[in-house]
Amino acid sequence: MAHSLIGASGEYSDFQEILRYLDELTLSDHMWDDGNSLGPKEIHSYLTRVMYNRRNKFDPLWNTLVLGGVKKGPKGDEKYLGMVNMIGTHFEENHVATGFGNHLAIPILRAEWREEMTFEEAVKLVEKCLLVLLYRDRSSINKFQIAKITTEGSTIYPPYSLKTYWGFSHFENPAQGAVGSW
């Protein structure tokens, strides 16, 4: 049994096209009726090919995709987390991010993530990363969702907002003391 979740940043209409591709893939896989199912690693590989193929046709899908999942394998539960961008660049890692998260959240994750973290500790770490990103881009929305994937299935928790404080003195005049053209 395999369970996967996908997240995306970028153009919503292109993400809908990707979801149509995935619907076709899972339907085709299901019709084989051979007892096997595509795991997160196989789906990630497929998405990598889709993104690279569309890039080579000079019609890229303007998304960065994150795919996570777990599959029961011969060595126990096989966890997987990977990402692929609009030109087909892809990798798998213990933590991934898209957009500005690559620059601001990944260093925090590299410093504080541990293999044996509890779910609650992991959520707190993600919230810390999201607060840093939110304070950097004040126009972004202060609402997100957490998802958890296990061999028993996936759970997508209701959206919630982080508590923020915009009264810091540096927020009042952020350009004060700044050197440069910004």
Side-chain angles (χ1 to χ4, degrees):
M1 179 70 67
H3 298 281
S4 303
L5 287 173
I6 186 170
S9 63
E11 283 292 320
Y12 190 71
S13 60
D14 285 350
F15 183 55
Q16 289 174 317
E17 180 73 11
I18 291 165
L19 292 177
R20 278 193 287 277
Y21 291 156
L22 290 174
D23 283 342
E24 290 174 16
L25 178 70
T26 55
L27 179 62
S28 174
D29 180 51
H30 181 71
M31 288 189 316
W32 277 101
D33 196 24
D34 59 0
N36 290 319
S37 63
L38 294 173
K41 189 169 191 163
E42 294 84 14
I43 295 171
H44 181 248
S45 178
Y46 172 78
L47 290 172
T48 297
R49 300 296 87 211
V50 166
M51 300 302 265
Y52 185 73
N53 180 30
R54 289 291 297 260
R55 163 219 167 158
N56 286 340
K57 291 181 178 182
F58 295 95
D59 186 22
L61 295 163
W62 287 75
N63 296 101
T64 299
L65 307 171
V66 173
L67 188 110
V70 63
K71 183 177 184 176
K72 285 188 181 189
K75 300 175 187 172
D77 294 347
E78 299 173 5
K79 300 173 193 170
Y80 188 84
L81 182 62
M83 67 85 57
V84 58
N85 68 11
M86 66 183 280
I87 61 173
T89 302
H90 61 97
F91 62 90
E92 58 183 275
E93 184 58 76
N94 290 322
H95 34 73
V96 296
T98 65
F100 229 0
N102 282 318
H103 307 288
L104 298 177
I106 290 293
I108 296 169
L109 292 169
R110 285 182 180 153
E112 298 183 26
W113 179 85
R114 301 178 328 276
E115 179 75 34
E116 67 281 349
M117 290 181 91
T118 66
F119 178 70
E120 292 74 22
E121 290 173 326
V123 168
K124 291 293 178 200
L125 181 57
V126 168
E127 288 175 350
K128 179 179 181 178
C129 292
L130 289 170
L131 270 176
V132 168
L133 291 164
L134 181 65
Y135 283 138
R136 176 60 181 92
D137 182 7
R138 175 177 182 157
S139 64
S140 62
I141 190 165
N142 183 20
K143 188 176 269 191
F144 64 99
Q145 287 181 274
I146 298 288
K148 181 179 180 180
I149 312 164
T150 64
T151 52
E152 287 76 41
S154 56
T155 305
I156 301 174
Y157 295 93
Y160 67 98
S161 298
L162 294 173
K163 185 167 176 55
T164 57
Y165 176 70
W166 294 98
F168 294 115
S169 61
H170 289 321
F171 289 155
E172 292 173 13
N173 186 4
Q176 182 182 7
V179 179
S181 61
W182 318 13

